[in-house]
Structures are given as C-alpha cells and as structure tokens.
Amino acid sequence: CNNNNLYGVAIVESNERKGLVNLQDRTVIIPCKYEDLLEGDGLFRFVENGKWGWVDISGNIAIEPKYYSVDSFSEGLAKVSYDGKKCGFIDKKGNQITQIKYDISETHAFHEGHAVVSEMTESGNRYAIVDQKGNEFVLPEGIGVSIVSDMSDGLLCVRNIDKCGYVNACGGLVIDFKYKDAHNFSEGLARVSFDGSSFGFIDKMGNIVVPFVYKNYGPDFKNGLARVTESSYREYSYPYKVSGYI
C-alpha cells in the first residue's frame, strides 16, 4: 500500500496488479487492474497492455495509454516517448507541445519554465532550450550541456570544447567560456573554477564574489551560507557568508 495523504488516496496492489482506494472510507476508486500505477503532480501514471497513460484522482482516464515510456509531469508538462528513443513533451490534456524528436537520454524535465533538449544530427548532438509553449532556442553548434542539466536562476551552464560558460533561456551567452569547472546557480551565486583545483563563486554577471582559494565544499549557498574549506579534507570545512566569515 502506497499512501498519498496529499490527495487522500492510496495505491494498492493485488496479484501483481495495482489500483487506487480512498483513504477516508476505503472505497475502491480503481480496481487492481493496472500493471503499474504511479503518482505525480496530480495525475497517476498507469501501464495497461505495456503502454503508459494517465488517470485522474477519480479514476477517469485523462490521457490514453499509448506511450512506450513517460516521466512524471513537471511544471505541467511531461516527457513522453513512443519508442523509448525519441521523446517530446505533452500537457495534462495530452496535447503535444513539442515534436517527438529529441534524444530521450539527453532530454530533461522542465525547470524554471524551460527544458534542456538534445537532437541527434549528422554532426552530433544539437542542444536547445524549449519553453512551455514549445518554442525552441537552439544553442550554437559545438556547445553541450555541462555538468548540470537544468536552468537555475534563469541561467544554464554549458560547455564549449573544454571551457564552461552560461547562457540565458533564449540561448544567448551571458557569461563567457572561461571556466574548467562550473555548476548551477543557487541564491544568485555559482561555484566555478579556472583550473579545476581551486574554486570560488561568481554572480550572474560573472563578477567574482567569493575568492578562488577553496579546495573543497559542501552544499552550495542556502540561506546566504555555503560550506567551504581551503584544505583538501572535507571535514575541515566551515561556513562562508557573502559578507565574510562566520
């Protein structure tokens, strides 16, 4: 039994089939008939005859089972595939928002209103950013998604050959390719390194906020603090505050 108190229902299993019951009065919403049943963002993914679809909390089919694979909805859109190789995005009504043409292993869920996608071409992977209306912003040839795969604070970390930089949601270069190592922004700051050994933090304009003297780190900035150390041993880390040490 997989309880979901948010919706007041529980996923139950019998004879290797899954269904849905009301937690309050124990009435059956969906009998145990599906090969799989998973909750996600208000709709339940189910498998019937080897194909994925969605039902709502009342057990009504919201999107017919016709997909080889699906992901949970994220920001109202879900990644779907008919063959397990090419994918695209649909909304909660089953409307196709993008073409089904992206490499499933290199395409990620929506975050901050955008998703990073990749399409295989004769010259290699072509990366792009798509918005929630299906508009596509192609990244310049030779650029790949570096280290991270989601937008963070409106910027995306990308790699060009052996250097990292940042682009905005339209694919425009905001911070030039000059870092050997770079990571997501968190609270307006991103951890970067010129040499892959010592790192510091920059702001969204590329200005250095925290000096490049640290060798190790904990989680990035949260509530104005990040754990860093000038030693290569993580246990000697201490918090760093933007305005100084504490």
Side-chain angles (χ1 to χ4, degrees):
C1 178
N2 182 13
N3 290 348
N4 192 311
N5 293 325
L6 179 63
Y7 301 106
V9 298
I11 296 172
V12 294
E13 184 172 356
S14 177
N15 296 324
E16 298 184 348
R17 289 292 187 268
K18 293 183 179 180
L20 198 66
V21 299
N22 187 304
L23 281 175
Q24 185 173 0
D25 58 16
R26 302 296 178 178
T27 56
V28 175
I29 300 172
I30 302 173
C32 293
K33 62 179 181 177
Y34 293 133
E35 297 157 43
D36 205 353
L37 186 63
L38 302 170
E39 188 277 327
D41 201 16
L43 293 178
F44 292 78
R45 292 172 283 166
F46 72 93
V47 181
E48 187 173 55
N49 298 322
K51 299 294 184 180
W52 285 91
W54 278 267
V55 295
D56 63 22
I57 197 169
S58 299
N60 302 311
I61 291 181
I63 301 173
E64 293 289 337
K66 56 184 177 180
Y67 301 106
Y68 178 89
S69 66
V70 300
D71 282 358
S72 178
F73 279 94
S74 175
E75 300 186 355
L77 299 174
K79 183 171 72 173
V80 299
S81 175
Y82 289 109
D83 62 3
K85 298 177 182 179
K86 302 295 183 183
C87 70
F89 291 91
I90 63 170
D91 64 19
K92 288 187 175 182
K93 294 182 178 180
N95 299 315
Q96 189 172 307
I97 303 302
T98 70
Q99 296 183 49
I100 309 294
K101 64 176 183 176
Y102 302 116
D103 182 351
I104 193 170
S105 64
E106 295 286 339
T107 295
H108 301 268
F110 270 81
H111 186 70
E112 293 190 1
H114 298 81
V116 180
V117 298
S118 174
E119 183 180 5
M120 181 60 69
T121 67
E122 292 182 357
S123 58
N125 279 0
R126 182 183 70 96
Y127 289 93
I129 299 170
V130 295
D131 65 19
Q132 291 174 317
K133 294 183 178 180
N135 298 313
E136 184 180 277
F137 304 94
V138 178
L139 299 180
E141 187 175 354
I143 292 180
V145 178
S146 167
I147 307 167
V148 294
S149 55
D150 293 325
M151 300 291 294
S152 62
D153 285 1
L155 296 179
L156 175 71
C157 180
V158 293
R159 181 181 296 277
N160 187 0
I161 306 177
D162 61 349
K163 297 294 183 182
C164 299
Y166 293 86
V167 298
N168 60 25
C170 295
L173 187 63
V174 176
I175 300 176
D176 201 8
F177 299 98
K178 54 186 175 182
Y179 306 108
K180 185 173 182 178
D181 192 15
H183 295 262
N184 257 347
F185 274 88
S186 177
E187 298 189 356
L189 298 175
R191 173 166 40 91
V192 297
S193 173
F194 287 111
D195 59 7
S197 176
S198 299
F199 72 91
F201 288 83
I202 59 171
D203 65 18
K204 292 169 68 175
M205 298 297 292
N207 300 311
I208 297 173
V209 177
V210 178
F212 289 76
V213 297
Y214 300 106
K215 301 294 184 181
N216 220 323
Y217 54 88
D220 289 333
F221 275 91
K222 184 177 181 180
N223 299 323
L225 296 174
R227 294 192 66 83
V228 295
T229 176
E230 295 180 21
S231 167
S232 59
Y233 296 99
R234 194 177 292 265
E235 58 263 35
Y236 294 114
S237 62
Y238 48 84
Y240 185 95
K241 194 174 183 179
V242 176
S243 59
Y245 300 99
I246 60 172

